[in-house]
Amino acid sequence: MPSESGGTGPPSGLPRNQTGWRNSIRRYGSLSIGLHWLMLVLLAAVYASIELRELFPKGSDPREALKHWHYMLGLSVLVLVWLRLAVHMIGPVPRIEPEPAAWQKLLAKLMHVALYVLMIGMPLAGWLILSAEGKPVPFFGLELPALVGENKDLAKIADEIHETAGVVGYWLIGLHAAAALFHHYVVRDDTLRRMLSFRD
């Protein structure tokens, strides 16, 4: 698009994203984009591993392996979410063009808060469940320390909360994806494009 100076460049005199990996006011940087899609893949794997375990009988090796991967991938989400939060805090949030209504921005902010609560709370709940059950907490060859001592009643309560939150998580992720597609195909703003390419 022609700029005011007659060359090519971003509209309204907005600066280009010179560094690539950092966010600009027009696009997310490659680090934010990479973390976003990596988190999506991890969350899909976390859900898939716990759902697919039902295909195998209790006590079987495949079922136990899937549970093991569920724990480790969930804890990986817990590790990476802090990096994603840090990246989010040190750079600008790219603006949406055309700018959405105030109520849409509020809903988007609430959705992002809910997703961060999910990505932090769910792995912590899983860690708490294993600890309260007196089971080891595996993490890629390591055994993490227990958060609490063995407590079967606490484990049962935490497990019920974990399962309910897991169902809520399906809805949150689905609504988040649906909103992005709605903005892209119906509203036709750049909400989704900001997360698909870091090039201005």
Side-chain angles (χ1 to χ4, degrees):
M1 178 179 294
S3 66
E4 293 180 359
S5 62
T8 58
S12 305
L14 296 178
R16 288 181 176 274
N17 183 2
Q18 298 290 347
T19 55
W21 67 271
R22 298 178 62 185
N23 295 351
S24 74
I25 58 175
R26 300 190 67 242
R27 293 286 186 272
Y28 284 104
S30 57
L31 183 56
S32 290
I33 293 173
L35 285 171
H36 176 273
W37 297 111
L38 176 59
M39 296 292 279
L40 175 61
V41 171
L42 279 176
L43 287 170
V46 168
Y47 275 105
S49 58
I50 204 63
E51 296 292 347
L52 290 174
R53 86 191 193 287
E54 297 294 343
L55 298 176
F56 304 97
K58 292 184 177 181
S60 64
D61 288 341
R63 186 183 179 101
E64 293 303 310
L66 285 169
K67 288 166 62 177
H68 198 78
W69 276 103
H70 176 75
Y71 304 144
M72 295 192 298
L73 292 172
L75 289 168
S76 298
V77 170
L78 181 62
V79 171
L80 287 176
V81 72
W82 300 109
L83 175 58
R84 188 171 178 195
L85 275 170
V87 172
H88 177 76
M89 293 174 66
I90 63 175
V93 176
R95 65 181 61 175
I96 298 173
E97 296 178 355
E99 186 175 0
W103 66 269
Q104 291 179 322
K105 291 192 285 186
L106 176 61
L107 281 180
K109 184 171 293 187
L110 291 175
M111 173 63 75
H112 281 97
V113 169
L115 286 168
Y116 276 113
V117 169
L118 177 78
M119 290 185 287
I120 295 171
M122 286 290 283
L124 284 176
W127 192 346
L128 179 64
I129 292 166
L130 290 177
S131 301
E133 289 178 342
K135 296 179 180 179
V137 184
F139 188 64
F140 298 103
L142 302 175
E143 184 175 324
L144 302 183
L147 295 178
V148 296
E150 187 171 347
N151 185 326
K152 299 298 183 183
D153 291 335
L154 176 60
K156 183 178 180 180
I157 294 171
D159 189 52
E160 291 175 354
I161 294 173
H162 188 70
E163 288 187 9
T164 301
V167 175
V168 173
Y170 276 123
W171 284 97
L172 287 175
I173 295 168
L175 287 171
H176 180 65
L181 294 174
F182 176 79
H183 276 272
H184 188 71
Y185 290 107
V186 179
V187 180
R188 296 187 179 277
D189 61 26
D190 65 349
T191 296
L192 181 59
R193 290 194 299 274
R194 295 176 309 154
M195 191 54 77
L196 292 177
S197 172
F198 60 89
R199 296 181 182 277
D200 286 338

